[in-house]
């Protein structure tokens, strides 16, 4: 599962580094080449909500193997593309596989780990989530500089083949925990998939269109929000008809939010995703634009954060199994908030050794936060609810990350316009201050999660 997830997450971050090289090689404009990334993002938005239904229908093992084949095929075709149009189409095929791989992997892990060791197993499963955004620019920069942009996609083939071979050999088909006669919620799909895609598209456009007020941004945001609200109404009212052999279930079961502990965990995942991925955009830009470093050098300078996260995860998993995910995540985010404070004072002359130490400490905090929260979700729900809960978790991570990235990108653009351009350290320092505020809000959410899960364990009356 870790190898397959690493492939997808590496591909997501590695492609952004190669867009300029692809544009030059295929003779595409800057505005057109962005669709290589956008088409993949929008496909994920359509496919991820389907993962819960597909897991119940086909079984998680079979669906995982199918998703790997689709992703590998899409990677080969992307690498062999001769024009921009086919490349965008093949990125859609890649997105179908990628949109299934991550949620299905988390479902399999949650089903096979068991509640007693869920924290430790989730800690291992979370390593790609925190390491790949750091390794992606490093690997991408090296490939573009030394080989060809086509190997940005071909590199997925050996990784995917190894993941498929291992899964086929060692992965047992878990017993079916959900109904096998689940009918696809077509009305929910028509509402949620385009709604989620429109919101993610609008948020992604804020970086190039100059903010939320742009005419290119607010229509998809508003339209997507309306469609998602209609889906919530549809899902909450969905009832099982009498005298029907097929089971009717909403595409994403919003009734799970009626449980206080689940709602607190969902809010924490959303906010932590925003704080984590939002800052992941600003730090490389500070090194590349503010300090004039190459993508490869910037990746090396960011690597200590990933090392700190990987080191912290091992211990966070053990403590999660002992005391619960809420307290561990709260301590982790508190450490991350405190460690991030020096970033609010960076300038063009801040010593690199100091930034390396700060990012390492910050990584420790983040490594002790995201997966402990996710493990709480799987301890709250029943085994039959795991596939649908995983869809919710994945969607919230996507939305939180997109919102955090868009918000900080708009703030950075505004500050750069008022403080003297990309070389101004003040603009990055002020944006980092907002990032710290996001992390602190996520900390408050995990404290609420700790309270909610503690109340759930206490006997009533």
């Amino acid at each position: 599962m870790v190898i397959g997830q690493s492939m997808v997450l590496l591909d997501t971050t590695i492609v952004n580094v190669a867009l300029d090289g692809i544009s030059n090689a295929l003779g595409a404009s800057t505005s057109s080449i962005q669709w290589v990334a956008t088409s993949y993002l929008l496909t994920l938005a359509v496919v991820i909500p389907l993962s819960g239904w597909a897991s119940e229908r086909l079984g998680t093992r079979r669906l995982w193997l199918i998703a790997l084949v689709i992703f590998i095929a899409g990677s080969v075709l992307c690498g062999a593309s001769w024009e921009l149009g086919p490349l965008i189409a093949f990125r859609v095929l890649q997105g179908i596989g990628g949109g299934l791989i991550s949620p299905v992997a988390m479902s399999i892990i949650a089903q096979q780990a068991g509640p007693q060791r869920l924290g430790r197993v989730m800690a291992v499963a979370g390593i790609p989530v925190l390491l790949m955004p750091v390794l992606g620019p490093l690997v991408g920069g090296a490939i573009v500089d030394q080989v060809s942009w086509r190997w940005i996609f071909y590199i997925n083939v050996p990784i995917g083949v190894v993941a498929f071979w291992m899964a086929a050999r060692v992965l047992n088909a878990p017993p079916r925990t959900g109904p096998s006669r689940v009918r696809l919620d077509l009305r929910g799909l028509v509402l949620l998939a385009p709604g989620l895609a429109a919101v993610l598209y609008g948020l992604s456009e804020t970086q190039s269109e100059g903010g939320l007020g742009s005419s290119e941004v607010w229509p998809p945001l508003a339209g997507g929000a309306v469609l998602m609200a209609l889906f919530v109404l549809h899902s909450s009212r969905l009832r099982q008809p009498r005298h029907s052999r097929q089971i009717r279930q909403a595409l994403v079961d919003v009734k799970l939010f009626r449980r206080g502990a689940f709602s607190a965990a969902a809010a924490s995942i959303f906010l932590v995703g925003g704080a984590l991925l939002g800052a992941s955009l600003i730090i490389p830009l500070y090194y590349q634009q503010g300090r004039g470093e190459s993508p490869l050098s910037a990746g090396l300078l960011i690597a200590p954060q990933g090392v700190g996260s990987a080191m912290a995860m091992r211990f966070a998993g053990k403590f999660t199994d002992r005391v619960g995910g809420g307290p561990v995540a709260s301590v982790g985010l508190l450490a991350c908030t405190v460690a991030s404070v020096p970033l609010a004072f960076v300038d063009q002359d801040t010593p690199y050794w100091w930034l390396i130490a700060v990012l390492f400490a910050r990584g420790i905090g983040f490594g002790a936060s995201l997966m402990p929260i996710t493990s709480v979700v799987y301890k709250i729900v029943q085994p039959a609810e795991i596939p649908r809960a995983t869809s919710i978790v994945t969607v919230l991570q996507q939305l939180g990350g997109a919102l955090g990235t868009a918000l900080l990108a708009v703030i950075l653009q505004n500050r750069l316009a008022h403080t003297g351009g990309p070389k101004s350290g003040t603009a990055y320092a002020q944006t980092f201050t907002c990032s710290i505020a996001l992390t602190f809000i996520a900390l408050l959410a995990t404290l609420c999660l700790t309270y909610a899960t503690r109340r759930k364990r206490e006997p009533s009356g």
Side-chain angles (χ1 to χ4, degrees), residues 263-289:
S263 295
S268 299
I269 288 171
F270 177 80
L271 292 168
V272 170
L276 172 63
L277 295 181
S280 297
L281 166 75
I282 304 303
I283 295 172
L285 289 178
Y286 165 72
Y287 278 127
Q288 293 178 54
Q289 297 181 2

Side-chain angles (χ1 to χ4, degrees), residues 338-401:
V338 174
S340 300
V341 170
L343 295 176
F345 302 96
V346 297
D347 55 31
Q348 286 180 293
D349 300 317
T350 304
Y352 280 166
W353 66 265
W354 174 240
L355 291 171
I356 288 172
V358 168
L359 291 180
F360 177 77
R362 192 172 181 273
I364 291 175
F366 264 128
S369 56
L370 185 59
M371 282 302 115
I373 297 171
T374 306
S375 69
V376 173
V377 172
Y378 294 118
K379 288 185 178 181
I380 293 171
V381 301
Q382 300 297 319
E385 297 170 329
I386 285 178
R388 305 275 170 163
T390 303
S391 296
I392 294 176
V393 168
T394 311
V395 166
L396 289 173
Q397 285 180 346
Q398 290 279 330
L399 283 175

Side-chain angles (χ1 to χ4, degrees), residues 9 17 35 39 145 150 213 244 286 291 302 311 364 373 434 436 444 454 456 461:
L9 293 169
V17 179
W35 279 98
S39 61
D145 289 342
R150 298 184 185 277
S244 175
Y286 165 72
R291 303 294 291 266
I302 299 168
M311 290 178 60
I364 291 175
I373 297 171
C434 298
I436 295 168
L444 297 180
R454 184 171 297 174
K456 187 176 184 295

Side-chain angles (χ1 to χ4, degrees), residues 290-313:
R291 303 294 291 266
E293 298 291 341
S294 67
L296 184 59
S297 297
L300 288 170
L301 289 166
I302 299 168
Q305 179 171 290
V307 174
S309 297
M311 290 178 60
M313 277 187 159

Side-chain angles (χ1 to χ4, degrees), residues 329-339 439-440 443:
S330 298
V331 172
L333 283 173
L334 176 61
C336 185
T337 303
V338 174
T439 309
F440 181 73
L443 169 61

Side-chain angles (χ1 to χ4, degrees), residues 53 55-57 176-182 247 249 384 388:
W53 169 81
S55 295
E56 293 168 349
R57 193 74 176 176
R176 287 186 179 270
T177 55
S180 58
R181 291 178 169 269
V182 181
I247 306 297
Q249 287 187 3
R388 305 275 170 163

Side-chain angles (χ1 to χ4, degrees), residues 23-189:
S23 176
N24 294 331
L26 298 182
S29 64
T30 303
S31 58
S32 299
I33 202 64
Q34 293 299 323
W35 279 98
V36 174
T38 303
S39 61
Y40 183 83
L41 175 70
L42 299 185
T43 306
L44 293 183
V46 174
V47 172
I48 287 172
L50 283 167
S51 62
W53 169 81
S55 295
E56 293 168 349
R57 193 74 176 176
L58 299 175
T60 50
R61 180 183 183 273
R62 183 186 303 173
L63 184 60
W64 167 260
L65 296 175
I66 292 172
L68 285 174
V69 170
I70 293 173
F71 191 85
I72 294 169
S75 298
V76 172
L77 292 171
C78 284
S81 297
W82 57 97
E83 290 180 354
L84 180 61
L87 176 58
I88 293 174
F90 297 145
R91 282 287 280 170
V92 171
L93 180 63
Q94 241 194 339
I96 294 172
L100 292 172
I101 283 175
S102 290
V104 173
M106 297 305 289
S107 293
I108 292 173
I109 290 167
Q111 288 169 339
Q112 300 208 0
Q116 300 304 317
R117 55 178 181 171
L118 187 58
R120 283 168 288 177
V121 176
M122 281 292 170
V124 176
I127 290 177
V129 178
L130 294 171
L131 280 186
M132 289 308 118
V134 175
L135 293 178
L138 271 174
V139 177
I143 290 176
V144 172
D145 289 342
Q146 303 298 325
V147 195
S148 163
W149 66 266
R150 298 184 185 277
W151 282 94
I152 292 288
F153 301 106
Y154 289 150
I155 194 176
N156 295 324
V157 177
I159 302 174
V161 169
V162 170
F164 185 94
W165 174 74
M166 292 182 69
R169 286 196 62 189
V170 306
L171 185 63
N172 297 320
R176 287 186 179 270
T177 55
S180 58
R181 291 178 169 269
V182 181
R183 189 170 69 184
L184 178 62
D185 179 18
L186 287 175
R187 183 178 298 176
L189 179 63

